[in-house]
Amino acid sequence: MRILHTSDWHIGRSFHGHATLDALRGVLETLVDQVRTHGVDVVIVAGDVFDSATPAAGAYSLLSDTLRGLVDAGATVVVTSGNHDSAARLGFQSALLRDGVHVITDPATVGTPVTVVDEHGPVHIYGIPYLEPVLLRSTWPGVRSQADVLAHAMDMVRADATARGGRSIAVAHCFAAGVEPTPHLERDIQQGGLDIVPLSTFDGVDYMALGHIHGRQQLSPRVRYAGAPLHYSFDEGHKPRGSWLIELGADGLVTAGDAAGVNEGAVAGGEQSTVGITGETTAQWLPLPVPRRLVTLTATLDELLADERFADHTGDWVRAEYTDPLPQRDPMRRLLARFPHCAEVRHAPAAARVDDARTYAQRVRTARNEAELVDAFLTHVRDGEGASAREAELVGELLEERTRVEATA
C-alpha cells in the first residue's frame, strides 16, 4: 500500500503581507498529480490544514478543490486538525465532503481507525487531532501536557490495533523530542519544555505521520515529519518542500538495523530518493516545486541597488540585510525598484560599534564646545555612531554661520 504523508498546508497564510493562496494552489495541484502518477492509495494530511481558526472563503474553496482532486486521483484521504485549525470549522467542512475523505477533529474518535484494505489485508489509520490538555482533563484524568495527552491517545491506538490485528498507521500534530524547529515559525505548543513528546510515545505502529514542524525530519524509520508544502519564512528557505511516499509491505515491519535519526540536512533531495529504510517498508521523498525562491542578500545598500552579482535575484523573494554603519533613508522603497518581491529589510551593520559606556548626560557634561555637544547627541540617538567627517564639517559651517549672524545682529 502506498501512503503519501503531507502536512501543514496553512491555507490562507500570508508571507510578509503577501497572499500565498495562488502559489499554494499550484503546489497542491502538483501534489495531486504525484498521487496519480505514483498510484497512491492513501493521502495523510497531518494537521494545520488552515492557518487560521476563521479562514476566508477562498481557503475553503482551495481545500475542497484539492481534496476532490486527490479522491479523483484514486486516493483515500485522511485529514486531522492541527493547533492552527478550528476543529469545529474543519469538522463541519467534513460533512460537506464526498466519500473517500475522512476529516478527524473529535478527540472522542481517537482509537477508532479509518481502515483501507489492499491485497495483503487491512491497514488501520488512526487520526489523532491536535489535543488541548486543558479541554481533556475531565474526560482523560491525569493529563496535564501535550506529552500526557499523546501518551494517552497512543495507548488507545495500540489497544485497538492489537485487538484488530493487521498493519497500523497513526497521525498526530505535536512537537516531538529531537526535532529541529524553524525559529519563530511554528506556533509554540510547549510550556517550559513539558510539552515535548518523547519519541517512545509513538512505539507500536508501523508508521507515525507527524505534523507541526515545517521542515522534513526523520526521527526514526517509522516516525517522520513531512513539513509544509510552501515556504512561509525566510529562515526555512533552504529547506526543500515535498512529502513522504511510504510503501507498506505485507507485514508492515522495518527490519532491525535500519537508519534512524536522519535530520533535514542528511536526506537526499532526489525525485524518488529511497532513504534509510530496508525490509518491508520503504520511503521516498517527493519534492514539490518552489513557486518563488527565498534569498537573503547582504551588502551595503548601494551594492544591493547596483551590484551585478545580485542581478539573478530580481524575481526572488528577497530579505535584504544592508551593512551600512547607519540606517539609510527609505531603504524598502529603493530596494523594491530593483527587487519587486523584496519582503523584508534589515539594518545589519558590518562593524560592531565601540561604546565608551558613558551615558548621554555624561557626554553632554564633558562636551567642550557646541560641535562636541552635537556629536554627543548623534552618538546617543544613533546607537553609538557619532558624526561622520562630512557631518562634522557641515556642523562646523553652520556654527560658524550662526556666529557671524549673531556678531552682526
Side-chain angles (χ1 to χ4, degrees), residues 108-258:
T109 65
V110 171
T112 302
V114 173
T115 299
V116 182
V117 179
D118 66 5
E119 67 272 22
H120 302 299
V123 174
H124 307 297
I125 303 168
Y126 296 88
I128 303 173
Y130 174 69
L131 302 172
E132 184 60 63
V134 70
L135 301 179
L136 291 169
R137 289 172 187 168
S138 61
T139 54
W140 292 3
V143 299
R144 302 191 62 82
S145 68
Q146 278 289 302
D148 292 338
V149 293
L150 261 297
H152 185 92
M154 286 302 298
D155 284 344
M156 297 170 67
V157 167
R158 282 186 287 266
D160 188 83
T162 299
R164 292 178 187 272
R167 295 159 292 171
S168 60
I169 294 172
V171 188
H173 193 87
C174 65
F175 192 105
V179 302
E180 298 175 6
T182 302
H184 315 299
L185 181 63
E186 292 94 358
R187 182 178 294 172
D188 190 14
I189 54 175
Q190 303 177 65
Q191 294 178 359
L194 295 179
D195 285 358
I196 296 177
V197 181
L199 191 58
S200 60
T201 302
F202 309 120
D203 289 348
V205 293
D206 294 301
Y207 183 74
M208 190 77 210
L210 295 178
H212 182 56
I213 301 300
H214 283 202
R216 65 181 178 185
Q217 306 259 343
Q218 177 185 318
L219 305 184
S220 82
R222 292 185 179 90
V223 183
R224 297 167 185 260
Y225 286 94
L230 200 65
H231 289 116
Y232 292 112
S233 165
F234 281 104
D235 291 327
E236 62 176 7
H238 65 288
K239 298 179 179 179
R241 307 287 85 172
S243 57
W244 288 111
L245 179 61
I246 306 299
E247 193 161 346
L248 214 58
D251 60 13
L253 298 177
V254 178
T255 59
D258 287 331

Side-chain angles (χ1 to χ4, degrees), residues 14-18 232-234 317 319 343-344:
S14 63
F15 179 78
H16 292 271
H18 300 269
Y232 292 112
S233 165
F234 281 104
W317 287 119
R319 174 168 63 186
E344 183 180 353

Side-chain angles (χ1 to χ4, degrees), residues 284-301:
Q284 297 176 1
W285 176 253
L286 298 185
L288 286 169
V290 176
R292 193 181 304 283
R293 293 186 304 173
L294 282 73
V295 296
T296 298
L297 306 180
T298 303
T300 66
L301 185 59

Side-chain angles (χ1 to χ4, degrees), residues 305-320:
L305 292 173
D307 199 304
E308 281 302 310
R309 73 181 188 272
F310 302 123
D312 290 341
H313 299 296
T314 55
D316 298 339
W317 287 119
V318 170
R319 174 168 63 186

